[in-house]
Structure formats: structure tokens, C-alpha cells
Amino acid sequence: LAIKETPNYLKVKIDILTNQNKTSEAKLVADKLIAYEPKNAHFYHLSGMMSFNDGDLAEAEKMIRQASVLQ
């Protein structure tokens, strides 16, 4: 049975990965969500927070700035 990676599925996956402190993997999923909905500021914010948690401050700043532009 193949799993279709819909936006709702990916949101749940982010929650699970975040709860398991797997922020690098959660960031990759957040980036997939951005590809599905490039005008959704929340997804950029999620990606930025995951980058921040991983210590990638430049990427975090970039994503948070993009989120603020879209709001």
C-alpha cells in the first residue's frame, strides 16, 4: 500500500517528528509543504523554527522573513 504524501499527512508527520526531537527530518517535511503551498506563511515559519532548532540561523532567518512577507 503506497502512502500518498498529502499536505494533511505531512502536517501530522511534522508533529510526530517534532515530538521525537527529529528536527532535521521535520524541516525536510516542512519544505515539502512549502512546495505544495508556496504562499502559506505558516509552513515557512515551521521550516524556520526547525532550522533555528538545528542551529542554522541563516536559514531560519530566511524562512522567517519569507513568512513575514506572506502574512
Side-chain angles (χ1 to χ4, degrees):
L1 183 67
I3 296 176
K4 179 127 170 98
E5 288 191 330
T6 64
N8 286 335
Y9 170 80
L10 293 174
K11 290 174 195 174
V12 170
K13 193 171 181 179
I14 285 176
D15 290 339
I16 291 168
L17 291 169
T18 301
N19 288 336
Q20 295 174 346
N21 292 320
K22 296 181 178 180
T23 55
S24 295
E25 293 173 41
K27 165 125 175 54
L28 295 174
V29 177
D31 291 344
K32 284 183 182 182
L33 280 169
I34 290 170
Y36 276 112
E37 296 180 33
K39 295 188 182 212
N40 189 320
H42 179 66
F43 298 153
Y44 284 92
H45 184 262
L46 279 174
S47 181
M49 293 309 297
M50 299 302 157
S51 294
F52 179 81
N53 290 339
D54 278 345
D56 187 349
L57 301 182
E59 180 68 11
E61 180 182 14
K62 179 180 129 188
M63 290 296 159
I64 298 297
R65 281 184 191 271
Q66 185 61 33
S68 67
V69 167
L70 293 172
Q71 289 186 359

